[in-house]
Short mmCIF file of all heavy atoms in Angstrom, two decimals:
data_model
loop_
_atom_site.label_atom_id
_atom_site.label_comp_id
_atom_site.label_asym_id
_atom_site.label_seq_id
_atom_site.Cartn_x
_atom_site.Cartn_y
_atom_site.Cartn_z
N THR S 114 -11.75 7.25 6.46
CA THR S 114 -10.63 8.14 6.13
C THR S 114 -10.48 8.31 4.64
O THR S 114 -10.39 9.43 4.12
CB THR S 114 -9.32 7.59 6.74
OG1 THR S 114 -9.45 7.56 8.16
CG2 THR S 114 -8.14 8.46 6.36
N PHE S 115 -10.45 7.20 3.91
CA PHE S 115 -10.18 7.30 2.48
C PHE S 115 -11.42 7.68 1.68
O PHE S 115 -11.28 8.25 0.59
CB PHE S 115 -9.51 6.02 1.98
CG PHE S 115 -8.08 5.96 2.42
CD1 PHE S 115 -7.73 5.29 3.59
CD2 PHE S 115 -7.09 6.61 1.72
CE1 PHE S 115 -6.41 5.26 4.02
CE2 PHE S 115 -5.76 6.59 2.15
CZ PHE S 115 -5.43 5.91 3.30
N THR S 116 -12.61 7.44 2.20
CA THR S 116 -13.81 7.93 1.54
C THR S 116 -13.88 9.45 1.63
O THR S 116 -14.13 10.14 0.63
CB THR S 116 -15.08 7.30 2.14
OG1 THR S 116 -15.01 5.89 1.97
CG2 THR S 116 -16.33 7.83 1.48
N ILE S 117 -13.66 9.98 2.83
CA ILE S 117 -13.67 11.44 3.01
C ILE S 117 -12.55 12.08 2.20
O ILE S 117 -12.76 13.12 1.54
CB ILE S 117 -13.55 11.81 4.51
CG1 ILE S 117 -14.76 11.33 5.29
CG2 ILE S 117 -13.32 13.29 4.70
CD1 ILE S 117 -16.08 11.94 4.85
N THR S 118 -11.36 11.46 2.21
CA THR S 118 -10.25 12.00 1.42
C THR S 118 -10.59 11.99 -0.06
O THR S 118 -10.32 12.97 -0.77
CB THR S 118 -8.97 11.17 1.68
OG1 THR S 118 -8.69 11.17 3.08
CG2 THR S 118 -7.78 11.76 0.94
N GLY S 119 -11.20 10.91 -0.54
CA GLY S 119 -11.58 10.83 -1.95
C GLY S 119 -12.65 11.85 -2.32
O GLY S 119 -12.57 12.49 -3.36
N LEU S 120 -13.65 12.00 -1.45
CA LEU S 120 -14.69 13.00 -1.72
C LEU S 120 -14.10 14.41 -1.76
O LEU S 120 -14.46 15.21 -2.63
CB LEU S 120 -15.79 12.91 -0.66
CG LEU S 120 -16.69 11.69 -0.73
CD1 LEU S 120 -17.60 11.61 0.48
CD2 LEU S 120 -17.51 11.70 -2.02
N TRP S 121 -13.21 14.71 -0.83
CA TRP S 121 -12.56 16.02 -0.84
C TRP S 121 -11.72 16.19 -2.10
O TRP S 121 -11.72 17.25 -2.72
CB TRP S 121 -11.68 16.21 0.40
CG TRP S 121 -10.90 17.47 0.32
CD1 TRP S 121 -11.32 18.73 0.60
CD2 TRP S 121 -9.55 17.61 -0.15
NE1 TRP S 121 -10.33 19.64 0.35
CE2 TRP S 121 -9.23 18.97 -0.11
CE3 TRP S 121 -8.60 16.70 -0.60
CZ2 TRP S 121 -7.98 19.45 -0.49
CZ3 TRP S 121 -7.36 17.16 -0.98
CH2 TRP S 121 -7.06 18.54 -0.92
N ARG S 122 -11.02 15.13 -2.49
CA ARG S 122 -10.15 15.21 -3.68
C ARG S 122 -10.97 15.59 -4.92
O ARG S 122 -10.55 16.39 -5.72
CB ARG S 122 -9.44 13.87 -3.88
CG ARG S 122 -8.85 13.62 -5.27
CD ARG S 122 -7.86 14.67 -5.70
NE ARG S 122 -7.46 14.52 -7.07
CZ ARG S 122 -7.93 15.24 -8.08
NH1 ARG S 122 -8.87 16.13 -7.87
NH2 ARG S 122 -7.48 15.07 -9.30
N PHE S 123 -12.15 15.02 -5.05
CA PHE S 123 -12.92 15.26 -6.27
C PHE S 123 -13.86 16.45 -6.16
O PHE S 123 -14.40 16.88 -7.17
CB PHE S 123 -13.67 13.99 -6.67
CG PHE S 123 -12.71 12.90 -7.10
CD1 PHE S 123 -12.47 11.81 -6.29
CD2 PHE S 123 -12.01 13.00 -8.28
CE1 PHE S 123 -11.56 10.83 -6.66
CE2 PHE S 123 -11.09 12.04 -8.67
CZ PHE S 123 -10.87 10.95 -7.86
N ASN S 124 -14.02 17.02 -4.97
CA ASN S 124 -14.90 18.18 -4.83
C ASN S 124 -14.20 19.46 -4.41
O ASN S 124 -14.67 20.54 -4.74
CB ASN S 124 -16.03 17.88 -3.81
CG ASN S 124 -16.99 16.84 -4.33
OD1 ASN S 124 -17.31 16.82 -5.51
ND2 ASN S 124 -17.44 15.96 -3.46
N GLY S 125 -13.10 19.36 -3.64
CA GLY S 125 -12.50 20.57 -3.12
C GLY S 125 -11.03 20.75 -3.41
O GLY S 125 -10.45 21.78 -3.09
N TYR S 126 -10.40 19.78 -4.04
CA TYR S 126 -8.96 19.83 -4.29
C TYR S 126 -8.61 20.84 -5.37
O TYR S 126 -9.28 20.93 -6.40
CB TYR S 126 -8.46 18.44 -4.70
CG TYR S 126 -7.01 18.42 -5.13
CD1 TYR S 126 -6.00 18.46 -4.20
CD2 TYR S 126 -6.68 18.39 -6.48
CE1 TYR S 126 -4.67 18.45 -4.60
CE2 TYR S 126 -5.36 18.36 -6.89
CZ TYR S 126 -4.36 18.39 -5.95
OH TYR S 126 -3.05 18.39 -6.34
N GLU S 127 -7.54 21.59 -5.13
CA GLU S 127 -6.95 22.46 -6.14
C GLU S 127 -5.46 22.16 -6.19
O GLU S 127 -4.88 21.69 -5.22
CB GLU S 127 -7.19 23.93 -5.78
CG GLU S 127 -8.68 24.29 -5.80
CD GLU S 127 -8.92 25.74 -5.42
OE1 GLU S 127 -7.97 26.53 -5.43
OE2 GLU S 127 -10.08 26.05 -5.11
N SER S 128 -4.84 22.44 -7.31
CA SER S 128 -3.43 22.05 -7.50
C SER S 128 -2.50 22.68 -6.47
O SER S 128 -1.44 22.12 -6.18
CB SER S 128 -2.97 22.40 -8.92
OG SER S 128 -3.16 23.77 -9.18
N ASP S 129 -2.88 23.83 -5.89
CA ASP S 129 -2.06 24.44 -4.84
C ASP S 129 -2.04 23.62 -3.55
O ASP S 129 -1.17 23.81 -2.70
CB ASP S 129 -2.56 25.85 -4.52
CG ASP S 129 -2.39 26.81 -5.69
OD1 ASP S 129 -1.58 26.50 -6.59
OD2 ASP S 129 -3.07 27.85 -5.70
N ASP S 130 -2.99 22.72 -3.40
CA ASP S 130 -3.11 21.90 -2.19
C ASP S 130 -2.24 20.65 -2.24
O ASP S 130 -2.26 19.86 -1.28
CB ASP S 130 -4.57 21.46 -2.00
CG ASP S 130 -5.53 22.62 -1.91
OD1 ASP S 130 -5.12 23.71 -1.49
OD2 ASP S 130 -6.71 22.43 -2.28
N LEU S 131 -1.50 20.44 -3.32
CA LEU S 131 -0.82 19.16 -3.56
C LEU S 131 0.06 18.71 -2.40
O LEU S 131 -0.09 17.61 -1.89
CB LEU S 131 0.01 19.23 -4.85
CG LEU S 131 0.87 18.00 -5.12
CD1 LEU S 131 0.01 16.76 -5.33
CD2 LEU S 131 1.78 18.23 -6.30
N PHE S 132 0.99 19.54 -1.95
CA PHE S 132 1.98 19.08 -0.97
C PHE S 132 1.36 18.76 0.38
O PHE S 132 1.64 17.72 0.98
CB PHE S 132 3.12 20.10 -0.84
CG PHE S 132 3.95 20.18 -2.07
CD1 PHE S 132 3.88 21.28 -2.90
CD2 PHE S 132 4.78 19.13 -2.43
CE1 PHE S 132 4.63 21.35 -4.06
CE2 PHE S 132 5.54 19.18 -3.59
CZ PHE S 132 5.46 20.30 -4.41
N ALA S 133 0.49 19.61 0.86
CA ALA S 133 -0.15 19.35 2.16
C ALA S 133 -1.09 18.14 2.06
O ALA S 133 -1.08 17.27 2.94
CB ALA S 133 -0.91 20.58 2.63
N ALA S 134 -1.88 18.07 1.00
CA ALA S 134 -2.81 16.95 0.85
C ALA S 134 -2.06 15.64 0.68
O ALA S 134 -2.44 14.62 1.27
CB ALA S 134 -3.72 17.20 -0.36
N ASP S 135 -0.99 15.66 -0.09
CA ASP S 135 -0.20 14.44 -0.28
C ASP S 135 0.49 14.02 1.01
O ASP S 135 0.62 12.83 1.29
CB ASP S 135 0.83 14.66 -1.39
CG ASP S 135 1.00 13.43 -2.26
OD1 ASP S 135 0.09 12.57 -2.28
OD2 ASP S 135 2.05 13.32 -2.91
N ALA S 136 0.92 14.98 1.81
CA ALA S 136 1.55 14.66 3.09
C ALA S 136 0.55 13.94 4.01
O ALA S 136 0.89 12.94 4.66
CB ALA S 136 2.08 15.92 3.76
N PHE S 137 -0.69 14.42 4.06
CA PHE S 137 -1.72 13.75 4.85
C PHE S 137 -2.01 12.36 4.29
O PHE S 137 -2.17 11.39 5.04
CB PHE S 137 -3.00 14.58 4.91
CG PHE S 137 -2.98 15.66 5.94
CD1 PHE S 137 -2.94 16.99 5.57
CD2 PHE S 137 -3.01 15.35 7.30
CE1 PHE S 137 -2.92 18.01 6.52
CE2 PHE S 137 -3.00 16.35 8.26
CZ PHE S 137 -2.95 17.68 7.87
N LEU S 138 -2.09 12.25 2.97
CA LEU S 138 -2.35 10.96 2.35
C LEU S 138 -1.26 9.95 2.70
O LEU S 138 -1.55 8.80 3.05
CB LEU S 138 -2.46 11.13 0.83
CG LEU S 138 -2.80 9.88 0.02
CD1 LEU S 138 -4.17 9.33 0.42
CD2 LEU S 138 -2.76 10.19 -1.46
N ILE S 139 -0.02 10.37 2.64
CA ILE S 139 1.09 9.49 2.99
C ILE S 139 1.04 9.12 4.47
O ILE S 139 1.28 7.96 4.85
CB ILE S 139 2.44 10.14 2.62
CG1 ILE S 139 2.56 10.21 1.09
CG2 ILE S 139 3.62 9.39 3.23
CD1 ILE S 139 3.69 11.08 0.60
N LEU S 140 0.70 10.08 5.33
CA LEU S 140 0.57 9.80 6.76
C LEU S 140 -0.52 8.76 7.00
O LEU S 140 -0.30 7.78 7.74
CB LEU S 140 0.24 11.09 7.51
CG LEU S 140 -0.05 10.94 9.01
CD1 LEU S 140 1.20 10.48 9.77
CD2 LEU S 140 -0.58 12.25 9.58
N PHE S 141 -1.68 8.92 6.38
CA PHE S 141 -2.77 7.95 6.55
C PHE S 141 -2.35 6.57 6.04
O PHE S 141 -2.62 5.55 6.67
CB PHE S 141 -4.03 8.41 5.82
CG PHE S 141 -4.62 9.69 6.33
CD1 PHE S 141 -5.37 10.50 5.49
CD2 PHE S 141 -4.45 10.10 7.64
CE1 PHE S 141 -5.93 11.68 5.95
CE2 PHE S 141 -5.01 11.29 8.11
CZ PHE S 141 -5.75 12.08 7.26
N PHE S 142 -1.69 6.56 4.90
CA PHE S 142 -1.21 5.30 4.32
C PHE S 142 -0.27 4.58 5.29
O PHE S 142 -0.43 3.39 5.57
CB PHE S 142 -0.52 5.59 2.98
CG PHE S 142 0.21 4.41 2.42
CD1 PHE S 142 -0.49 3.38 1.79
CD2 PHE S 142 1.58 4.31 2.53
CE1 PHE S 142 0.20 2.28 1.29
CE2 PHE S 142 2.27 3.23 2.02
CZ PHE S 142 1.57 2.21 1.39
N LEU S 143 0.72 5.31 5.81
CA LEU S 143 1.69 4.70 6.73
C LEU S 143 1.02 4.20 8.01
O LEU S 143 1.39 3.15 8.55
CB LEU S 143 2.81 5.69 7.05
CG LEU S 143 3.74 6.02 5.90
CD1 LEU S 143 4.72 7.11 6.29
CD2 LEU S 143 4.48 4.77 5.40
N MET S 144 0.03 4.95 8.51
CA MET S 144 -0.68 4.50 9.70
C MET S 144 -1.37 3.17 9.47
O MET S 144 -1.30 2.27 10.32
CB MET S 144 -1.72 5.55 10.14
CG MET S 144 -1.14 6.74 10.82
SD MET S 144 -2.50 7.84 11.31
CE MET S 144 -1.60 9.19 12.01
N TYR S 145 -2.03 3.02 8.34
CA TYR S 145 -2.77 1.77 8.10
C TYR S 145 -1.86 0.62 7.69
O TYR S 145 -2.20 -0.55 7.94
CB TYR S 145 -3.92 2.01 7.13
CG TYR S 145 -5.08 2.62 7.86
CD1 TYR S 145 -5.30 4.00 7.83
CD2 TYR S 145 -5.91 1.85 8.65
CE1 TYR S 145 -6.33 4.57 8.55
CE2 TYR S 145 -6.94 2.41 9.38
CZ TYR S 145 -7.14 3.77 9.33
OH TYR S 145 -8.16 4.34 10.07
N VAL S 146 -0.71 0.89 7.11
CA VAL S 146 0.28 -0.17 6.93
C VAL S 146 0.75 -0.64 8.31
O VAL S 146 0.86 -1.84 8.57
CB VAL S 146 1.48 0.31 6.07
CG1 VAL S 146 2.62 -0.69 6.14
CG2 VAL S 146 1.06 0.51 4.63
N GLY S 147 0.98 0.32 9.20
CA GLY S 147 1.36 -0.02 10.57
C GLY S 147 0.29 -0.84 11.28
O GLY S 147 0.59 -1.79 12.00
N VAL S 148 -0.97 -0.48 11.07
CA VAL S 148 -2.08 -1.24 11.67
C VAL S 148 -2.07 -2.68 11.14
O VAL S 148 -2.28 -3.63 11.91
CB VAL S 148 -3.43 -0.54 11.40
CG1 VAL S 148 -4.60 -1.46 11.70
CG2 VAL S 148 -3.53 0.74 12.21
N SER S 149 -1.82 -2.86 9.84
CA SER S 149 -1.76 -4.21 9.27
C SER S 149 -0.66 -5.03 9.92
O SER S 149 -0.85 -6.21 10.23
CB SER S 149 -1.51 -4.14 7.76
OG SER S 149 -2.56 -3.51 7.10
N ILE S 150 0.48 -4.40 10.16
CA ILE S 150 1.60 -5.12 10.79
C ILE S 150 1.28 -5.42 12.25
O ILE S 150 1.53 -6.54 12.74
CB ILE S 150 2.90 -4.30 10.67
CG1 ILE S 150 3.31 -4.21 9.19
CG2 ILE S 150 4.02 -4.92 11.50
CD1 ILE S 150 4.42 -3.22 8.92
#
Side-chain angles (χ1 to χ4, degrees):
T114 298
F115 286 94
T116 300
I117 295 298
T118 304
L120 288 172
W121 173 81
R122 162 57 188 101
F123 293 107
N124 292 322
Y126 173 78
E127 295 179 16
S128 57
D129 294 341
D130 303 332
L131 174 64
F132 292 108
D135 218 21
F137 278 110
L138 183 62
I139 291 168
L140 175 67
F141 297 153
F142 170 78
L143 291 174
M144 284 182 183
Y145 281 98
V146 168
V148 166
S149 297
I150 294 169

